[in-house]
Amino acid sequence: MLKDPFSGMLRSHSSSLAVLQRLLDMSIIYFGLVFATSIHHIPLDSEYLLLMSLAGLLFLLLAEIQWMYRSWRTEKLMNEFGSVIGVWFTVVLCLMLLGFATKTSSSYSRLAVTMWAFVVPVAMVLARLIYRKSLRILRAGNKNTRTVAFFGCGKTANKMAAHINEVPWMGLKVVGAFDDRPLDRIEPSALSFEGDAQNLVNRARSGAIHIVYITLPMNAENRIAGLVDQLSDTTVSIYVVPDSFAFDLFQARWSSLAGVPVVSVHESPFYGVHGWVKRAEDMILGSLILIFISILMLFIAIGIKFTSRGSVLFKQRRYGLNGEIVEVWKFRSMTVCDDGATVVQAQKNDARVTPFGAFLRRTSLDELPQFINVLQGKMSIVGPRPHAVAHNEEYRSQIHGYMLRHKVKPGITGWAQINGWRGETDKLDKMKGRVDYDLDYVHNWSLWLDIKIIFMTIFKGFINKNAY
């Protein structure tokens, strides 16, 4: 078959497209501010131009850190949208902090800046939606496509090939599978068998194959290393697909020590800029929420005093960041304040829960004092829910990876809670389900994910049938 002369035409100019995307984003930031100020009849003076320039430079810096201008060909549309929105609102938070610190926020129209803050991400999302739709049209005509081959016939290759065929918008065309093993040792496959490693290398050299996925088990390191060495004489992109023994490497981060590359399998996502962003999020949102709920907290405190004996606040030791002990505050909802070697979880119709306390627990209003813990730096608004020290010691030996949830600060709300994992964990599977979501949050944190969790908490995170 003759090769389409236009196939891969856009791919060869991918770096130019990335430059155009950067320029388009800068234009959206500029014209978004022009639009917002003109709507409110505000002159675009030097102060607004300075604001726009700072926003543009900060956006480009954070976008590069987040690899936002990489190829999104094989990723979901919502992942790209989330990255764009997360980076932009990080910029907005940073500008707000700068305005408060320099006492210059009063120089700008709040209405105009707020409109600008929401117009920009909408325009960026629409621009990317149009871009993706255009690429889909091109790929439907066999333009901007890339050919894919698998080395290693097996279930993994079949599964990945089936997924590629189900999403033609990625522009990936599966050639088939290659393998060095004798035919009688190769598992039956839906993929066409194309030959051995030498056949793969020859076709890669000819330009007929652009991407190679090596789907061998990780214990076949010699075969993998040999194939990678052979393919290094070609220009194909090579991906090694980890098996179950190396699955954790999907979340790994590359760094170096004394010039030697190292892979970080378990690490906190909140180092460097990400840590500043997370803390800024907690300080700004935590302060605003505390101001908003202060009157409500006063009435709750009065209600506790009038309905039962004891202190208003219940303070309990929990594991915080890096497993350090922190004191977490809640409104007292029980007649007891257990914090010893054995802590009994609240159960349905628990006699220890006061009538007013039952209402507080059902509506999660007992958690409100934890916003003070957030400002203290002991907790975050979003993160894995803290467990009593006794429960940590009980489950850390029963659930693989349990303590990795403490690579981040505990949160008032979390990914597990809005997905229904709340309340009593009377069975090990319930705690394991909660921990799985906690680790997913640690591995995939983004500002956009935090905003999503906070938004969803408003609608489904307060009242829950499992909260006793």
Side-chain angles (χ1 to χ4, degrees):
M1 182 181 295
L2 291 176
K3 183 179 178 182
D4 184 346
F6 298 101
S7 179
M9 176 182 65
L10 292 181
R11 180 168 49 83
S12 62
H13 299 288
S14 58
S15 59
S16 300
L17 288 174
V19 171
L20 289 176
Q21 279 192 320
R22 290 173 173 84
L23 292 175
L24 179 60
D25 286 341
M26 293 302 98
S27 299
I28 289 172
I29 291 172
Y30 174 75
F31 286 109
L33 188 57
V34 171
F35 172 77
T37 52
S38 62
I39 286 291
H40 293 89
H41 307 291
I42 298 169
L44 192 66
D45 57 20
S46 58
E47 289 181 330
Y48 282 94
L49 290 175
L50 176 62
L51 177 66
M52 181 273 295
S53 300
L54 287 174
L57 290 173
L58 192 55
F59 184 86
L60 280 181
L61 174 63
L62 294 177
E64 295 298 338
I65 292 173
Q66 291 280 53
W67 286 26
M68 203 179 76
Y69 295 110
R70 68 183 185 274
S71 171
W72 292 87
R73 178 191 291 262
T74 60
E75 298 190 41
K76 293 180 180 178
L77 192 61
M78 291 307 297
N79 290 347
E80 184 176 9
F81 289 172
S83 179
V84 171
I85 294 170
V87 168
W88 173 249
F89 279 110
T90 302
V91 170
V92 172
L93 284 173
C94 291
L95 291 176
M96 289 174 61
L97 281 175
L98 184 62
F100 288 136
T102 58
K103 298 181 180 180
T104 56
S105 57
S106 58
S107 303
Y108 302 95
S109 165
R110 286 177 172 79
L111 288 175
V113 171
T114 300
M115 177 179 284
W116 177 56
F118 285 96
V119 164
V120 167
V122 171
M124 287 182 176
V125 164
L126 287 175
R128 281 161 173 79
L129 184 61
I130 294 170
Y131 174 75
R132 285 237 187 173
K133 290 291 184 183
S134 301
L135 287 181
R136 286 192 184 193
I137 294 171
L138 286 172
R139 288 164 182 166
N142 204 32
K143 309 296 190 299
N144 188 229
T145 59
R146 304 188 78 184
T147 51
V148 174
F150 295 91
F151 188 83
C153 296
K155 294 179 181 178
T156 302
N158 280 321
K159 185 177 180 180
M160 293 180 67
H163 176 70
I164 290 172
N165 291 329
E166 288 170 2
V167 282
W169 56 264
M170 292 195 300
L172 300 177
K173 306 292 183 183
V174 178
V175 172
F178 298 78
D179 208 307
D180 269 341
R181 292 175 296 173
L183 290 176
D184 59 347
R185 291 184 55 199
I186 295 176
E187 302 173 38
S189 173
L191 290 168
S192 64
F193 180 70
E194 299 292 322
D196 59 13
Q198 191 56 53
N199 287 335
L200 173 61
V201 172
N202 291 339
R203 292 177 68 174
R205 282 177 180 159
S206 70
I209 294 173
H210 302 123
I211 301 172
V212 174
Y213 288 104
I214 302 176
T215 55
L216 297 174
M218 294 303 288
N219 58 9
E221 56 182 298
N222 291 333
R223 293 174 65 198
I224 295 172
L227 180 61
V228 170
D229 184 58
Q230 288 180 277
L231 290 173
S232 65
D233 192 35
T234 73
T235 58
V236 295
S237 299
I238 307 168
Y239 297 88
V240 177
V241 181
D243 57 18
S244 58
F245 293 104
F247 183 76
D248 283 343
L249 292 180
F250 271 129
Q251 311 299 341
R253 295 177 176 87
W254 281 98
S255 57
S256 63
L257 178 63
V260 178
V262 295
V263 178
S264 170
V265 179
H266 300 311
E267 188 52 273
S268 170
F270 300 131
Y271 278 126
V273 174
H274 290 169
W276 303 340
V277 170
K278 182 69 169 176
R279 187 60 183 149
E281 172 196 333
D282 286 337
M283 291 297 292
I284 293 172
L285 293 181
S287 300
L288 293 174
I289 292 172
L290 263 179
I291 293 171
F292 181 73
I293 64 175
S294 57
I295 301 299
L296 175 61
M297 290 178 66
L298 176 62
F299 280 114
I300 291 173
I302 294 171
I304 293 172
K305 272 297 184 185
F306 274 93
T307 56
S308 63
R309 291 183 178 182
S311 61
V312 170
L313 293 178
F314 164 49
K315 301 178 181 180
Q316 189 179 61
R317 294 174 307 123
R318 307 281 176 101
Y319 276 173
L321 180 65
N322 294 323
E324 296 180 1
I325 303 293
V326 296
E327 191 177 65
V328 173
W329 297 359
K330 298 176 70 172
F331 280 125
R332 183 176 57 81
S333 58
M334 290 185 172
T335 56
V336 298
C337 297
D338 294 338
D339 191 25
T342 301
V343 177
V344 180
Q345 279 189 313
Q347 304 171 4
K348 193 172 185 179
N349 302 319
D350 197 315
R352 299 171 300 166
V353 179
T354 67
F356 187 57
F359 165 73
L360 295 179
R361 296 175 74 93
R362 281 197 305 272
T363 56
S364 298
L365 293 175
D366 62 323
E367 311 281 358
L368 295 184
Q370 290 171 19
F371 283 102
I372 299 173
N373 295 145
V374 170
L375 296 188
Q376 292 172 335
K378 298 176 181 178
M379 295 181 66
S380 285
I381 295 177
V382 180
R385 287 291 299 148
H387 301 151
V389 171
H391 293 155
N392 277 291
E393 295 305 316
E394 176 185 354
Y395 289 114
R396 68 188 301 173
S397 61
Q398 299 182 56
I399 299 175
H400 176 69
Y402 178 89
M403 290 301 292
L404 295 176
R405 62 198 300 277
H406 295 295
K407 298 299 292 184
V408 300
K409 291 180 183 178
I412 297 175
T413 184
W415 188 227
Q417 282 63 47
I418 64 169
N419 281 284
W421 295 94
R422 285 192 62 190
E424 184 184 7
T425 52
D426 53 338
K427 297 180 180 179
L428 186 63
D429 286 347
K430 289 184 178 180
M431 181 59 81
K432 188 178 184 306
R434 181 184 294 186
V435 171
D436 286 343
Y437 273 94
D438 289 341
L439 297 184
D440 185 58
Y441 171 79
V442 174
H443 289 150
N444 298 294
W445 176 83
S446 68
L447 182 61
W448 166 247
L449 181 58
D450 274 4
I451 293 170
K452 177 181 178 180
I453 291 171
I454 293 171
F455 181 78
M456 292 179 70
T457 299
I458 297 172
F459 296 98
K460 57 191 296 188
F462 287 110
I463 299 175
N464 189 282
K465 63 181 181 180
N466 295 323
Y468 307 137

